Amino acid sequence: MGKIKVADFDIRYTVESAQPLTFFGDIHEEGKRVDYVSEFRKFEVRQHKDSLEYFALPKISEQKAREEIVRRFGLNDNMQKIYEAIATDQFLVESIEKYPGMRITRNDPWETTVCFVMSQFNNVKRIRGIVKKLIEVHGERRSFEHNGREIVVRSFPTPETFANLSVKEIMKCGTGFRGKYIKGIAQQCVDGFDLYKLEGKKYEHIKEELMTLPGIGDKVADCILLMGYEKLEAFPVDTWIKRIVERVYFKGKVQSIKTIHKFAEERWGKDGGYAQQYLFWRGRSLKLK
DNA sequence: ACCCAGGCGGGCG
DNA sequence: CGCCCGCATGGG
């Protein structure tokens, strides 16, 4: 067990904000605790006001566990600076006031890819159900003992697993038409497309590569860049963001996706990802349509 | 019973 | 290009 002091962090807003941890983590205690599996290890993270308590099973060194938590939850992000940069107007000031401490999480590129391919033309609740079922049915099961109790973990299914399944088999987990995309992407990963080789490359390059994969367009690519490749400048433009930006910054006039990307880049630059996240949740809570 | 959900691919003009 | 349509599925 370890403990970390935190400021400008809210685990609930973070894990409930439709990031990969929302889709495959187990959220407990009204959002104050999240359990998730990474590399066959179960991590349990709980927030008490200004500190974070965490466990890793099977155990790893205190330092390793701490590094995982700090990285995963974006605890090194300087929120005061980021807030200063993205609070360009009243709407964003209110967004930040409403969801203080919401962070961008850092996730595995492959897992992030599957999660956001599942997100297209879908809703959060169902995405969650689908991803959890994929893990439950196709993840590798491992168990170990802790204090005389058996702990079971399941890995996120690998590209190899999906490549060896038929689309029909994948669709049994409720993926719908997205099943063929997962199969296609998995097949390409097995055939040499290396998602991990893209880590550390430039935003534009990664985006171009991701968009060659089936089922990954402009919006999904940006989500993967933001949460799977730590590209905090990524600004995913979905129907909500499009509406919100048009409404708040273009007097309600319809704009192209391209114009919206350009606007976001000029206004928020390298902090676009955080701006997007706050715009999105504020817009949704206001049901801005 | 509808209607919609953090899009994408394909076909058309 | 830009526009429009269909798409699997389950919850409201």
Side-chain angles (χ1 to χ4, degrees), chain A residues 40-144:
Chain A
F40 294 104
R41 204 175 297 280
K42 184 176 177 183
F43 288 89
E44 202 176 303
V45 186
R46 178 188 285 103
Q47 180 164 23
H48 305 277
K49 293 179 190 166
D50 57 357
S51 72
L52 232 46
E53 181 188 18
Y54 54 91
F55 302 87
L57 292 172
K59 271 190 128 172
I60 43 174
S61 75
E62 171 57 33
Q63 189 190 342
K64 286 251 183 221
R66 189 188 178 89
E67 277 170 13
E68 154 77 18
I69 303 303
V70 168
R71 187 187 67 81
R72 192 82 187 201
F73 290 88
L75 298 179
N76 281 334
D77 294 344
N78 185 334
M79 296 315 290
Q80 286 308 317
K81 266 197 165 161
I82 290 168
Y83 286 152
E84 204 174 305
I86 67 173
T88 52
D89 50 83
Q90 192 56 30
F91 191 86
L92 264 162
V93 167
E94 285 170 12
S95 308
I96 296 163
E97 280 170 1
K98 175 116 189 189
Y99 300 103
M102 180 169 60
R103 306 257 181 160
I104 307 280
T105 59
R106 313 309 207 258
N107 306 277
D108 175 85
W110 160 250
E111 296 178 9
T112 308
T113 297
V114 174
C115 287
F116 284 98
V117 166
M118 288 305 121
S119 81
Q120 65 173 86
F121 198 45
N122 211 345
N123 60 63
V124 173
K125 194 165 189 174
R126 228 168 71 80
I127 301 164
R128 198 154 194 255
I130 295 168
V131 173
K132 281 182 164 290
K133 186 132 196 204
L134 288 171
I135 293 169
E136 185 189 313
V137 177
H138 299 295
E140 186 185 335
R141 181 187 189 281
R142 278 195 203 171
S143 67
F144 48 88

Side-chain angles (χ1 to χ4, degrees), chain A residues 124-228:
Chain A
V124 173
K125 194 165 189 174
R126 228 168 71 80
I127 301 164
R128 198 154 194 255
I130 295 168
V131 173
K132 281 182 164 290
K133 186 132 196 204
L134 288 171
I135 293 169
E136 185 189 313
V137 177
H138 299 295
E140 186 185 335
R141 181 187 189 281
R142 278 195 203 171
S143 67
F144 48 88
E145 207 184 285
H146 176 70
N147 290 346
R149 202 157 64 88
E150 188 188 36
I151 310 268
V152 175
V153 294
R154 280 180 193 284
S155 68
F156 201 96
T158 61
E160 289 73 20
T161 299
F162 287 131
N164 287 324
L165 288 167
S166 66
V167 173
K168 267 193 181 166
E169 208 62 40
I170 295 173
M171 285 178 78
K172 281 185 186 165
C173 292
T175 63
F177 63 88
R178 308 164 194 84
K180 60 179 180 288
Y181 297 144
I182 289 309
K183 165 89 175 169
I185 294 170
Q187 192 61 57
Q188 289 207 40
C189 288
V190 169
D191 291 342
F193 187 106
D194 190 349
L195 285 166
Y196 299 96
K197 216 171 162 180
L198 296 174
E199 287 181 313
K201 304 279 193 213
K202 285 188 178 165
Y203 169 88
E204 283 300 343
H205 176 74
I206 302 175
K207 186 163 183 175
E208 210 172 295
E209 290 291 314
L210 288 175
M211 286 180 66
T212 65
L213 297 170
I216 302 184
D218 179 76
K219 188 269 175 183
V220 168
D222 273 324
C223 284
I224 301 170
L225 278 152
L226 181 58
M227 298 168 216

